[in-house]
Amino acid sequence: VLSSEIDLSVLLEKILIMSMENAGAQSGHLILEKKGKLFIEASGHSGKEISVLDSIPLEGSNHVPISVVNYAWKTKETIILSDAYKTGMFVQDQYIAENFTRSIICAPIIYKRRMSGILYLENNLTSNAFTPERIELLSVLSSQAAISIDNARLISQRQDSAKLEKEMEITAKIQMSLIPSAPKSKGYEISSYMKPAESVGGDYYDVINGEERDWLVVGDVSGHGILSGLVMMMVQ
């Protein structure tokens, strides 16, 4: 089920649903790393819809015990707490203290020795909710999740790149259509050539023929890319 899914949002939802069902968890969160920071990308509670790709920053969040997640992230170890609010090194965590959290499992998602995220599950109804059998199954799920998340992200990046490339190509054609291909001015021969430093640029020239005089217009727009190209179009 996981290995065949390439849509990241659908994949995250499936990972969380399968993990919660197989572990017997009341709630769960998938936390992924982006540009060196952790974000909650999927959240679910028993009997409710899974919310995905909201990109909630971990720091300052009240959805999970931040100290537990950070510890798992730094040590790359699976954290299993049977009675979190009563015993253990995380009893002072604000989230655990306020919610009287009992059973917690916080498992790193690792592929090729690189961590891509954290799977956090909890059960607040009972202590020792996560049995060795369930923990073993979660280990298998998280390993496959790591591979699938990497693949889905790679495909998503390629699709975004292809889309951006197409948009740049269209923008470049629009821009070049505004540049005169054969500028003319009575009594003069005009030769011109322009090649943007990037696929789209903002530099501009034109010959505007008036009644009494012709205007030779040259514009050097600061910067490169789509934004400067749009500035040139507005000037035109």
Side-chain angles (χ1 to χ4, degrees):
V1 171
L2 297 183
S3 61
S4 62
E5 185 55 63
I6 60 173
D7 186 299
L8 184 60
S9 62
V10 177
L11 175 64
L12 297 181
E13 183 177 354
K14 286 183 177 180
I15 292 171
L16 199 53
I17 289 173
M18 291 175 68
S19 299
M20 288 173 59
E21 287 178 351
N22 287 283
Q26 278 186 298
S27 62
H29 302 277
L30 259 176
I31 301 155
L32 301 182
E33 182 268 339
K34 289 193 301 186
K35 297 180 179 179
K37 294 186 178 182
L38 296 176
F39 294 86
I40 300 173
E41 294 291 358
S43 300
H45 300 272
S46 298
K48 296 182 180 180
E49 289 187 3
I50 305 292
S51 60
V52 294
L53 298 180
D54 290 334
S55 295
I56 301 170
L58 178 67
E59 292 301 323
S61 167
N62 59 357
H63 293 76
V64 295
I66 295 175
S67 62
V68 177
V69 175
N70 281 334
Y71 188 86
W73 180 258
K74 290 176 182 177
T75 63
K76 298 184 180 180
E77 297 176 1
T78 297
I79 310 300
I80 303 164
L81 303 172
S82 56
D83 236 339
Y85 82 98
K86 286 184 179 179
T87 59
M89 60 187 292
F90 301 104
V91 291
Q92 299 300 321
D93 184 277
Q94 184 177 352
Y95 174 91
I96 292 175
E98 289 179 355
N99 294 280
F100 301 100
T101 313
R102 292 185 172 182
S103 300
I104 290 176
I105 183 166
C106 191
I109 300 173
I110 302 175
Y111 176 52
K112 292 183 178 180
R113 297 183 180 181
R114 187 180 71 83
M115 282 186 65
S116 55
I118 294 279
L119 175 62
Y120 174 87
L121 302 173
E122 71 176 50
N123 187 316
N124 223 13
L125 294 176
T126 181
S127 304
N128 297 298
F130 303 118
T131 63
E133 292 80 10
R134 287 174 168 175
I135 293 168
E136 187 177 351
L137 182 56
L138 278 178
S139 176
V140 175
L141 278 173
S142 63
S143 296
Q144 181 56 54
I147 298 170
S148 298
I149 288 170
D150 262 29
N151 290 340
R153 277 179 159 176
L154 183 60
I155 291 170
S156 178
Q157 287 169 2
R158 286 177 177 174
Q159 289 173 339
D160 289 344
S161 295
K163 182 181 177 182
L164 179 60
E165 188 177 339
K166 188 65 178 177
E167 289 175 351
M168 294 283 280
E169 182 183 331
I170 293 169
T171 307
K173 286 181 179 178
I174 293 172
Q175 181 201 10
M176 294 309 292
S177 71
L178 299 177
I179 300 295
S181 57
K184 295 179 180 179
S185 180
K186 189 176 180 180
Y188 293 90
E189 289 184 1
I190 302 175
S191 297
S192 59
Y193 175 76
M194 184 178 108
K195 183 177 180 180
E198 297 180 11
S199 57
V200 178
D203 298 340
Y204 168 70
Y205 68 85
D206 198 358
V207 175
I208 301 172
N209 303 118
E211 291 182 2
E212 296 181 358
R213 66 186 69 186
D214 292 342
W215 299 87
L216 176 63
V217 183
V218 179
D220 185 0
V221 177
S222 177
H224 302 287
I226 290 178
L227 185 59
S228 58
L230 291 173
V231 172
M232 186 274 277
M233 292 175 195
M234 287 188 288
V235 171
Q236 170 76 346

